[in-house]
Structures are given as structure tokens and as C-alpha cells.
Amino acid sequence: MTAAPLATLAETAERVNLLGLTRPELEAFVASLGSKPFRARQLMHWMYKRGVDDLAAMTDLARDFRALLGERAEIRTPEIVTAQQAGDGTRKWLLRADSSQAFEMVYIPETDRGTLCISSQVGCALDCSFCATAQQGFNRNLTAAEIVGQVWLANRELGYAPGGDRIITNVVLMGMGEPLANFRSVVPAMRILLDDLGFDLSRRRVTLSTSGLVPQIYKLAEESNVALAVSLHAPDDELRNQLVPINRLHPIAELLAACWHYIDEQNGRSVTFEYVMLEGVNDSPAQARALARLLAGHPAKVNLIPFNPFPGTRYRRSPDAVIAAFRDELLQRGVMATVRRTRGEDIDAACGQLVGRVIDRTTVRLGSRGQVVQI
Ligand code: SF4
């Protein structure tokens, strides 16, 4: 990928946020200030290894260079509006996008890992009928700096000490928004998460979750190698058209072909298919068998998600016994399946519950509001 025209950016009144720059972009930026590429590596070390956001504190940078940086650049994370902690230790932050809008991120601690769920957009235009974010509408894409800034900020809020054990071991792009509808910011942000001078996360510990933007999945296969998760939620097109309206543009057969292509290209292990369990809608044994027919023999895992209700929804969560029976049908047919434990329900931080604060600017949407998706 080519670097952004940073010299031009640096010359504008607005200071460049260093957090959103990949290593080549940061090298280009320091070159535009007349400095050597190794300065970019020093900056990354300060920002990501030591968690420093004050340019003046970067004491091994020459004083003149620091002064110039201070004029042209900054390290700016999203601002916290509110922070909440659930009884099970799950934490949720509302982060400011601008004076009137906000998005959310969630940290889920477990015994063997800590997962940070980050957002890629303020709201979402894809209008999935079971999703609280969809009810808010869509306002704008987050920048690469705002995406990377969530991880930086969470590390600080969780008390990560430079050189100490990782607190955030996994990052999932499953918060507000459709990541592949914000391809231009999401891909560089993921590069920074994986860069050994960045957050140095393994590609298997960074997961991008999509509702099924097929052309972008093919493009992603050329540009990234993170783990892929797909919101499937139905075993046939008729039902999926209702639950995930993007299916009208990219039906299940097309979507699965793109998934298998991604795994082939990226030498990946498997695609995770998310399947929210909605009572009486998609949870019958016959639907489990239909799902198994789609996925058996392919590199697929199914993650069954008990539905988390939100105000105004018409759906109910499937009973535990129904979810277990659905899982067993899949397992008996050779499809790997697990049930996701619901976390953070008491602070509305569970899957599908993130709402943020969004002023809807969507002009055209799928689902009940329109027929064509705008991305
Ligand atoms: S499930 Fe994901 S893609 Fe669908 S509306 Fe919600 S945030 Fe958007």
C-alpha cells in the first residue's frame, strides 16, 4: 500500500496524529521533517512499547526534532466519556467521536486471555434486525488513529506496565460498525496491531468480523491475514435476507466461496461463523442440520451466541436447552461448534448491545429502510 501524502498533511494547520500511521507512513512523515527513518522506530517504541503520549517526554529524540514534532504532530487518543464495570469484570467505555457523538469499546477478562472488542464506525448502516447498533443508524467511519487509539487507551486504563505481561491478548473488530465498510482505515489499523514495533499481536489473535461484504473479503485476502469471523445467523437465504439484509446483495453461496478463498490465500485455520440464537426464528434442529450441510467438510467453526435483548427488539433468546441441542446437531455432523458465554450483560456490553451515541446520517440502508446499501 502506498503511504499517504504526509508532507502535505504536515504542512496543514492540523497536526498529524501519529497513532494512525503505519510504520512506512511514519517513516515518510519523519522524512518529511528532514529526519532519518530510524526516528520512526524510536517513536513507535515510545508510543506502543512504553505507552507514552507526550512527545516532550521522548528523551532520546534530539531536542530540535522534538520541538518540530510538537508543532506538526500529536499523539491523540479518543476521549473517555464514561467508563463502566460489570459484575463479571467486563469493562465498557463510551468514547467521544465529536461533541455530540460517541462509540463504545469493551474489555472482557478471562482466565487465560483478555479480549478487547473495538469499534470501526460510529453506528452502522447495515441494518441487521437483531442488532442494537443498527437501530442507531450510521454517522461516520472511525479513522485509523481512532481505531488504534482504542487499544492504546484500553492498555492505559487497564494498567498495562511497559515490559510487563500483556493485559490485552486478543483484539476483535466486533464492536460498533461493519469493519469492511471502513476498509481504508481498518486495514492500516490492523497493520499497526500486528507490527512488532506496534502492539505486536499475532495474526491469530486479531479477528475481523464482517456481516458479509463479499468483494471486500476478496480484497482483504490480498492485504491482510488476520483471523476472519462472519456473522451468518441463518442457514438459508430467505431467513438471512431478513436478519442480515446485506445478504440480498451477497447471498450465502457467494459469501462462503469468499470465506474459503480467504482461508486458502491466507493459509488460515478456519473461519468462525457467528450465529445468534433467536427463539423460534433460527434455532430448530432442522436449521442446525441445514447449517451443517453448508459447513461440513470446510474449515469452519460455529460460535453460537445467546441473543442479548435490547429495548424495542422483537426477538427473544433461545432457551439454553435449545442452544445445546443445536450445538449437538452440528457436532454430530462434524461441524465444530461452541456456545459463547454471555458477558457484561448488566452494563449492556454483551454482543450486539453496543449503541454509543449516534446522530444518524444514513441516507440509504438495507432492511426496512431501503434496498441498497451505502458503504
Ligand atoms: S450486526 Fe454488525 S454489521 Fe449488522 S448492523 Fe450490527 S454492527 Fe452493523
Side-chain angles (χ1 to χ4, degrees), residues 254-288:
E254 266 183 40
L255 172 59
L256 294 181
C259 292
W260 312 144
H261 171 82
Y262 187 83
I263 292 297
D264 283 349
E265 285 294 299
Q266 291 305 335
N267 195 19
R269 287 181 186 159
S270 58
V271 175
T272 300
F273 291 94
E274 292 150 5
Y275 195 101
V276 64
M277 296 298 291
L278 306 170
E279 184 177 20
V281 175
N282 65 353
D283 63 351
S284 73
Q287 286 165 317

Side-chain angles (χ1 to χ4, degrees), residues 114-118 147 151 168-174 193 199 201-202 204-208:
T115 302
L116 187 71
C117 177
I118 60 176
I147 298 169
V151 185
I168 298 166
T169 60
N170 296 58
V171 173
V172 295
L173 281 101
M174 293 185 187
L193 297 186
F199 291 100
L201 288 162
S202 121
R204 299 198 197 285
R205 290 179 177 271
V206 176
T207 302
L208 183 147

